[in-house]
Amino acid sequence: MSHATEPLQGKHIVLGITGGIAAYKAAVLTRLLVKAGAEVQVIMTPAAREFITPLTLATLSGKGVITEFFTANTGEWHSHVSLGLWADAMVIAPATACTIGKMAHGIADNMLVTSYLSCRAQVFVAPAMDLDMMAHPSTVANIKRLRSYGNIIIEPGEGELASHLVGKGRMAEPEEIADTLRSFFASSGDLAGKHILITAGPTYERIDPVRFIGNFSTGKMGYAIANEAARRGAQVTLVSGPVSGLSAIPGVNVVNVESARQMLAAATEAWKTADVAVLAAAVADYRPEHQADTKIKRETDDVASLPLVQNPDIAATLGAAKRPGQVLVGFALETNNAIEYAIGKLQRKHLDMIVVNSLADAGAGFGVDTNKVAILYADGRPSVNIPLESKCDVAADIINNILAL
Ligand code: CTP
């Protein structure tokens, strides 16, 4: 890759190295980043120095390695604040369970975690640990917390680990980490100045104060798109139905709603100024005709049937109000005849693009962290098949395909 098109050229990268056997791969990563034109400042935890010498990393990066808050013999102070401000990105590779735990809970007892807390730039975390540590609920919860702070997790691979056990926990290869950074810099800011509306999650349609009609949508796909769009510089309005355990990154304007009619009102308002709408919500098609003010009682009310009325179609409403230049993207989750039904929705709702997932595909659909989708266009361009990947990666692919419109 020539330097003119190398997104890493001139970028300031703080590389945090923690004490795991994969620390030796950090030397290769340093070399790759420097070769691509980045300036790399290495911070090591004291434990990391047991696995690889600072001399190796100082030589490869061309900069002194920092471990302590100050240099013992000279008293020179290393400012975590100025490092945090200097960074265009911070990468922690390898990230041990211990450091991930400290980052998740703000335990700033070393230079690396202190710099992490001071860092305003995007943080990438490449976990590396034994498979059982990786799968422990404590690690799983801590990684989830880091995601909620907006950190990007570079997933470990599966394979033989230092323990000779085989499973998930091998740090991503240095080439993959460098490529993740590269595509981050290549895409960051490419949505600046755009207002993107996203709907996510299910809607709840009240029957009485304690019961509702809903569906199994968890909102993961919509939140992933919102976070990715915000990261890339868009102004994001996320109209969210009731979800739990998800958080939007700072900067996303979240409008919490419950019912389809509330979602319609919030989406219609945002559509007045939005350039793009991505409708990932699973909207209940029907609601009870009457909502009881008090709990329906089995003995006295004897409800044998529940009359329903149709909810408004948010996608079709926005489609009908579409101004020239606005892009409307829908989703279709089908159990059968996916493509045929999706084409119908594309036309009926005046969508420009529809993302189709089939519940028949393993790893796709509600609740899971992965998705496998196809993208169809209204303007007749060929459809795109996206293989099974994390919902974060699917989100990036969806946005890339919207930008191509
Ligand atoms: N949608 C919407 N408002 C509704 C129903 C659906 O905005 N009341 C949007 C969804 O967010 C999605 C697309 O329309 O982007 C397709 O949703 P889906 O539920 O698959 O379509 P329906 O028209 O409800 O068709 P059906 O339930 O018959 O498959």
Side-chain angles (χ1 to χ4, degrees), residues 129-161:
M129 64 195 78
D130 178 64
L131 76 169
D132 293 308
M133 291 177 85
M134 189 72 209
H136 194 281
S138 163
T139 311
V140 171
N142 286 335
I143 289 181
K144 194 169 169 184
R145 252 177 194 253
L146 295 188
R147 279 211 175 88
S148 77
Y149 303 157
N151 301 165
I152 294 176
I153 309 299
I154 306 176
E155 290 288 338
E158 305 215 358
E160 191 181 336
L161 304 169

Side-chain angles (χ1 to χ4, degrees), residues 1-13 32-39 88 181-182 185-186:
M1 200 181 274
S2 87
H3 276 177
T5 57
E6 171 55 78
L8 286 165
Q9 173 67 34
K11 292 293 187 262
H12 294 174
I13 315 271
L32 286 173
L33 296 174
V34 168
K35 228 174 131 184
E39 279 189 52
D88 294 314
L181 287 170
R182 200 171 264 129
F185 286 118

Side-chain angles (χ1 to χ4, degrees), residues 8 33 52 95 152 340 346 385 389:
L8 286 165
L33 296 174
I52 184 167
I152 294 176
E340 186 190 324
L346 193 64
N385 284 308
E389 54 185 18

Side-chain angles (χ1 to χ4, degrees), residues 199 201 260 263 278-286 311-318 329-334 341 345 348-349 351 354-355:
T199 66
M263 187 173 275
V278 182
L279 306 176
V283 185
D285 287 330
Y286 293 90
N311 264 331
D313 187 322
I314 300 166
T317 309
L318 301 191
V329 180
F331 271 74
L333 177 66
E334 308 289 352
Y341 285 139
K345 287 173 190 178
R348 204 165 57 242
K349 301 177 193 232
L351 306 174
I354 193 160
V355 182

Side-chain angles (χ1 to χ4, degrees), residues 100-116:
I100 288 172
K102 288 181 183 178
M103 289 163 66
H105 295 91
I107 301 171
D109 67 347
N110 63 34
M111 188 64 189
L112 192 156
V113 181
T114 314
S115 302
Y116 164 72

Side-chain angles (χ1 to χ4, degrees), residues 61-362:
S61 66
K63 281 188 201 299
V65 166
I66 300 173
T67 300
E68 307 296 341
F69 290 103
F70 58 90
T71 307
N73 54 352
T74 63
E76 187 200 350
W77 170 252
H78 303 296
S79 167
H80 55 91
V81 177
S82 49
L83 254 187
L85 295 177
W86 176 83
D88 294 314
M90 180 171 186
V91 191
I92 294 118
T96 56
C98 174
T99 291
I100 288 172
K102 288 181 183 178
M103 289 163 66
H105 295 91
I107 301 171
D109 67 347
N110 63 34
M111 188 64 189
L112 192 156
V113 181
T114 314
S115 302
Y116 164 72
L117 293 179
S118 298
C119 186
R120 293 188 188 171
Q122 179 67 53
V123 177
F124 297 82
V125 182
M129 64 195 78
D130 178 64
L131 76 169
D132 293 308
M133 291 177 85
M134 189 72 209
H136 194 281
S138 163
T139 311
V140 171
N142 286 335
I143 289 181
K144 194 169 169 184
R145 252 177 194 253
L146 295 188
R147 279 211 175 88
S148 77
Y149 303 157
N151 301 165
I152 294 176
I153 309 299
I154 306 176
E155 290 288 338
E158 305 215 358
E160 191 181 336
L161 304 169
S163 58
H164 300 298
L165 296 174
V166 177
K168 186 175 173 185
R170 265 168 78 106
M171 187 178 87
E173 293 304 324
E175 288 76 10
E176 187 192 335
I177 298 173
D179 280 344
T180 303
L181 287 170
R182 200 171 264 129
S183 49
F184 166 76
F185 286 118
S187 67
S188 75
D190 62 357
L191 294 176
K194 300 284 178 211
H195 178 196
I196 302 197
L197 158 68
I198 289 145
T199 66
T203 65
Y204 285 179
E205 311 299 330
R206 287 182 185 228
I207 299 169
D208 69 11
V210 296
R211 305 181 179 95
F212 62 85
I213 297 174
N215 58 67
F216 291 124
S217 170
T218 56
K220 280 184 179 168
M221 195 63 243
Y223 273 68
I225 297 169
N227 287 342
E228 173 71 5
R231 183 191 75 66
R232 289 164 73 157
Q235 175 201 342
V236 180
T237 304
L238 172 62
V239 181
S240 174
V243 297
S244 64
L246 292 181
S247 47
I249 63 173
V252 173
N253 172 28
V254 184
V255 184
N256 288 301
V257 298
E258 183 180 282
S259 67
R261 287 186 293 175
Q262 290 167 354
M263 187 173 275
L264 174 70
T268 307
E269 183 57 32
W271 191 228
K272 289 179 189 162
T273 56
D275 301 290
V276 179
V278 182
L279 306 176
V283 185
D285 287 330
Y286 293 90
R287 66 175 183 275
E289 189 175 11
H290 304 289
Q291 279 180 16
D293 293 332
T294 52
K295 189 181 171 195
I296 297 171
K297 303 299 288 177
R298 183 175 19 189
E299 294 285 302
T300 48
D301 295 319
D302 189 26
V303 184
S305 67
L306 188 66
L308 300 176
V309 291
Q310 275 211 22
N311 264 331
D313 187 322
I314 300 166
T317 309
L318 301 191
K322 191 159 61 172
R323 289 176 278 111
Q326 280 186 310
V327 175
L328 186 59
V329 180
F331 271 74
L333 177 66
E334 308 289 352
T335 55
N336 54 301
N337 299 341
I339 300 295
E340 186 190 324
Y341 285 139
I343 291 172
K345 287 173 190 178
L346 193 64
Q347 292 166 347
R348 204 165 57 242
K349 301 177 193 232
H350 302 287
L351 306 174
D352 299 291
M353 188 174 130
I354 193 160
V355 182
V356 194
N357 42 101
S358 167
L359 274 184
D361 289 324

